Each structure stands twice: as structure tokens, then as C-alpha cells.
Amino acid sequence: MISTQTPAAGKTPAVGIDLGTTYSAIARLDETGRPVTLVNGEGDLTTPSVVLIDGQDVVVGKEAVKALGTDGHRIAECMKRDVGQRLYHKALDGRQYPPEVLQALVLKKVASDAKRLVGEFSKVVVTVPAYFDEVRRKATQDAGYIAGLDVIDIINEPTAAAVAFGYQQGFLNTKGESSKPQKVLVYDLGGGTFDVTVMQIAGSDFRALATDGDVELGGRDWDNRLMQLVADEFQKQHGIDPRKNLNASARLWRECEDAKRTLSARSKATITFDFEGRAVRVEVAREKFIEITTDLLDRTRFTTRQALKDAGLDWGGIDRILLVGGSSRMPMVREMLKNLSAREPDASVSADEAVAQGAALRAGLILSRAEGIKPAFKIKNVNSHSLGVVGTDRTTGRKRTAVLIKRNTPLPAKVRREFKTQKAGQDSVLVQIVEGESANPDVCTAIGQCMITGLPKDLPAMSPVNVEFQYASNGRLAVSVQVPGTDRQAKQEIMRASGLSQEHLDQWRSWVAGVWKN
């Protein structure tokens, strides 16, 4: 077992939160440095990431789920898919909310329940999908702030799972070192997002080799296929589409989600649904379920192969395949990975708890360092999206993305590249920084800019401009721009873009604190 050498009992608790699309969990390190998942106020290890807002009454979790079939216009779920957008996709009880605020209410719930068990704390590590971009990561940090928490780090969910796995499965000795190098592929299929990360565990180092993912793919999409099947049958028999009614659609989703779980344990499931005095009974065989979701599974297969390729490995180089995320329990997932790799995937750690526990281990590492204690292990990640600048193609005159730091580059990273001015007498240089994989910068995400002004009037065209990126492990990007032969230079630390101003963040923080007392 690993000793995280956490601060002595009575000091800052090491807490990690898995802020999931459909379910969330919270864990802490106990006095021995062992990660323990904490039960919520209802006695469960996971909390549904569902929020009910009825005036000043706010309910999060199981009770909110119960109201889905009657109060759909007051309920938010799957908010994680809207993170990075200005507003959640629908009004709740007649009011629009930023997704960060709804995420904050979930964080508030799990943290408040945990405090009843471990006492007061504010410092936490929160997990995000590995494929989240900087805008979504910043929004997640903002959600923590609104909830009254100090988010000391954001860690990728597959990385957290791999850390928890290394701890629980005994690669790690009492010094926190692996007995032999291990390469682990983490297949993380959650309720709303999908990630694949290839990790190398060597000694006390956890190093991400490559990551890939899809923030618009998760177990909810499998639910939706069952919903479509039942709704089509209902419409065929009764001429009504129940999905057009918010409450009926929510009730249908609950029935279909339950059927999906049944199909993981049994070869068939029966979905019974009634609406406006009419009913249908649809029997679904596991083979039919696989048939109507084949394209979804294929998307995970493609992404898995891509991550393996980016890591420079084949299946022979992978020691273990780790299944994480509740939706990875579907037999079709295990069968697909078994066929791809010719080995049995490993489901020995809890798909629901591993991510939160890995986050708690990460929190222990950070807090140990702050206490002046040498951390027991190291975590090194890669960037999930390429970083570059907007340039102009000399041949076509069109704007193009010039990548400086490619996706899956080990962090921290430092890269310098030379560009050219466009015309003679140019008095300024504007460097626009973008994130994304497209050659078209308009498709990428703009994350900041850096400008040099006051250039010499006699500066000739095609004069060199040096741009340097320094990308830290914590996601902060420092950009410096210099025009050689002049005294003109500029430096800028690019902070993650935020959809909410500090004033709005403070207002929402006060609102959340107020409604939580009611």
C-alpha cells in the first residue's frame, strides 16, 4: 500500500471530488493516507448530479431525481455537457442559470454532506474529463469558487483513476513506488463524457503518455437510443410522441436508464411506459440494444485506437486495461475491448469511486508539499488540446493555426517559434492564442492575446517575430513575444478564459450560500 505522507490528523483534510455528469462522489484520505469514499446525507456513496430549483428551495441529488417526472421545468441534469456555455440550455422555474452555478450546487451538496463526517474544509481537488478544454476547466474552477471551495487543482479523471488503481492493486510498495513499470490504458465511459488515457507507472512516477476523448459521448447517449425505440413504438401505436412533453420525457428516460442497467445483468429487459392514459410495453433483447448503439461503441473504439497510436504503443505494450465510469459496466464495452486487445479488461476498482479517490490522493500530494513534506509520488500529465497562434498563410493570404505545443505533449513544456511581420513599417504585432486541432483558427477556441506596439517605423516586411510558449503542469500558459533587433517585447500569462466576471462570481457565490441555508 502507498503512504501519501499526509499532514497529521487535525490539519487540512485531503479531499477529492469527482464532479460527474450523472453522479458525483467525494473522497478523503484517512489518518493512514488511505483514500476513503464518503457517504452522502442519504447514506449513498454517489450523489445524482441533478438539481431542483423551486423559488428559493434548492434540492440536489436523489430527491431531485424523484421529481423528474413531475417538475421537469424546475430540474437541471447533465449540466456538465453545458459547461463552457454562457447559460444552461433551459430555464429553471422561469430563470436562466449559468452551468457553473448548477455545478456549484452539486459541489455544495457533496461537500456539505462530507463536512458532517470530517469537519470543516475548503481545499479540494476536482476532476474533469481529460478532453475538457481550458474554457471548461476554468468554468469548473469557477463552480468550486461559487460553492465556497478552494479548488487547489484540476486533475483529469482517467489520471485520477490510474492513481487510485495503482494504490489499490498493489503495484505500489510502502514507499509509493511500483514494483515494476506498468502501462495502463484507462477507458473512462461516464454518464456524459468519454476519455481514454494511456498512463505509465514507473517507480513513484505516474506519467500520462497520451489522452483522447469525446465530451459529447456517454451513457446518456445509450439511454437516448432506448428512449427513441420506445417513443417510436408509442407514436406508432398511439400517434403521440411523449418526448415532446418535458415530464413524460423525463419519466421515459428514467425507465430507459433502468432498462440499460438491467441489460448489463440480463439478456433482455422490458420497458413499460404510460402517457395520457395510453401505454406501451417494449421488450428489448441485449442483441437489439447492441444493434441500435453500435455506432456509439464504434466511436469509443476509434478514440481508444487513436490514444494508443498517439502513445506510440500497440496492445502488446499495454499491461492492463482499466474500466472506469458507470457506463463501462455494459457487457458490450468489455467484449469490444477484449476483441481489440485479446485480453480481459480490469474492473477490479470501483468504477464509481476510483476517480474521487484518485483526486483525494492528488490532494494529499499537494497538501504534503505545502506542509514541507516530500510527496510520495509524482503525477505528470499531457495537454489534451494543441496550443498555437493565428497566422497568415503567405500563399493564400488566409488565416491558419500555427501549432506550437501539440496535443499530448508532456507537461511542463516550453516551445519557441519564429514568425514574420506582414508588411513594411508595421507598428505593432498582435499574437492571438488559440486552442484546438483545426487548421482553421475560427474553429478553435480563442484563449487570449499578446501585443507589441511602438515598433520602429523603418522595420522592413518579413522581419522576425519570436513567440515563446511556456505551458505549466497546472494549465497556465505564459506567452512572450519579441522582435529581434528592437527593444520591443511583451509577456502575458494567459489565464483560463471565464464566462463570468469576478463580480458575477461573487454574486452567485452569495446566492448559493443563501439558498443553501434555507
Side-chain angles (χ1 to χ4, degrees), residues 88 339 408 479:
Y88 182 62
N339 290 337
N408 287 323
V479 178

Side-chain angles (χ1 to χ4, degrees), residues 4 25 46 67 81 128 146 153 168 177 182 211 218 231 274-275 314 331 335 343 351 356 370 442 444 499 503:
T4 53
T46 61
R81 283 197 169 179
V128 295
I146 293 169
D153 197 17
Q168 294 175 12
E177 298 178 346
Q182 294 271 334
T211 191
D274 64 271
F275 176 56
D314 56 24
E335 192 64 26
R343 71 186 63 198
D442 293 334
C444 297
E503 180 182 1

Side-chain angles (χ1 to χ4, degrees), residues 217-476:
L217 180 64
R220 187 62 184 265
D221 297 289
W222 273 259
D223 301 339
N224 288 342
R225 294 297 170 84
L226 287 175
M227 287 180 66
Q228 182 179 339
L229 185 71
V230 177
D232 286 350
E233 182 62 28
F234 195 97
Q235 199 165 12
K236 178 182 176 182
Q237 292 186 25
H238 306 298
I240 303 171
D241 186 350
R243 291 169 297 183
K244 293 183 178 180
N245 180 284
L246 194 60
N247 290 337
S249 181
R251 286 192 291 109
L252 178 58
W253 168 64
R254 289 188 66 185
E255 294 293 337
C256 290
E257 184 191 35
D258 188 55
K260 179 188 70 176
R261 296 173 187 271
T262 298
L263 287 167
S264 290
R266 301 178 59 187
S267 61
K268 62 182 179 180
T270 300
I271 304 171
T272 303
F273 177 73
D274 64 271
F275 176 56
E276 293 189 349
R278 301 171 176 87
V280 294
R281 185 175 183 274
V282 180
E283 187 174 278
V284 184
R286 185 183 289 171
E287 291 77 11
K288 180 64 175 179
F289 185 40
I290 294 172
E291 176 189 329
I292 63 176
T293 59
T294 294
D295 61 313
L296 302 177
L297 194 65
D298 284 345
R299 284 166 63 182
T300 77
R301 180 187 287 110
F302 174 83
T303 303
T304 300
R305 284 173 167 164
Q306 187 62 46
L308 197 62
K309 179 182 177 182
D310 290 346
L313 297 171
D314 56 24
W315 286 109
I318 297 296
D319 296 295
R320 296 176 189 246
I321 301 169
L322 177 62
L323 296 180
V324 180
S327 298
S328 69
R329 292 189 177 97
M330 292 186 292
M332 67 177 79
V333 168
R334 177 181 292 276
E335 192 64 26
M336 180 269 290
L337 288 170
K338 186 176 178 180
N339 290 337
L340 269 181
S341 64
R343 71 186 63 198
E344 193 71 35
D346 191 321
S348 57
V349 295
S350 170
D352 299 320
E353 301 178 59
V355 171
Q357 291 185 1
L361 287 162
R362 172 64 173 171
L365 184 154
I366 294 171
L367 294 172
S368 292
R369 186 180 293 125
E371 293 287 336
I373 303 170
K374 183 180 178 181
F377 61 94
K378 300 176 184 177
I379 300 174
K380 289 196 174 182
N381 242 319
V382 294
N383 62 314
S384 55
H385 296 273
S386 298
L387 291 167
V389 302
V390 179
T392 302
D393 190 303
R394 298 177 191 173
T395 305
T396 64
R398 294 179 180 176
K399 290 183 177 180
R400 306 294 287 176
T401 304
V403 174
L404 273 75
I405 300 178
K406 294 181 179 180
R407 181 169 65 93
N408 287 323
T409 297
L411 300 180
K414 181 178 179 180
V415 177
R416 175 179 290 185
R417 184 167 168 180
E418 182 180 280
F419 295 87
K420 303 289 186 181
T421 58
Q422 296 183 24
K423 58 185 179 181
Q426 188 171 325
D427 61 358
S428 64
V429 171
L430 174 64
V431 176
Q432 297 171 288
I433 299 100
V434 295
E435 178 183 61
E437 311 313 314
S438 176
N440 180 0
D442 293 334
V443 180
C444 297
T445 301
I447 62 172
Q449 62 183 33
C450 191
M451 176 176 262
I452 291 180
T453 59
L455 294 175
K457 294 182 179 180
D458 58 351
L459 192 70
M462 304 301 290
S463 294
V465 178
N466 292 330
V467 178
E468 183 178 275
F469 279 10
Q470 293 189 59
Y471 196 32
S473 299
N474 62 7
R476 289 183 178 173

Side-chain angles (χ1 to χ4, degrees), residues 3-10 28-36 117-118:
S3 170
T4 53
Q5 301 180 43
T6 53
R28 70 157 298 183
L29 299 188
D30 66 14
E31 291 76 8
T32 67
R34 182 174 65 95
V36 179
L117 301 175
V118 302

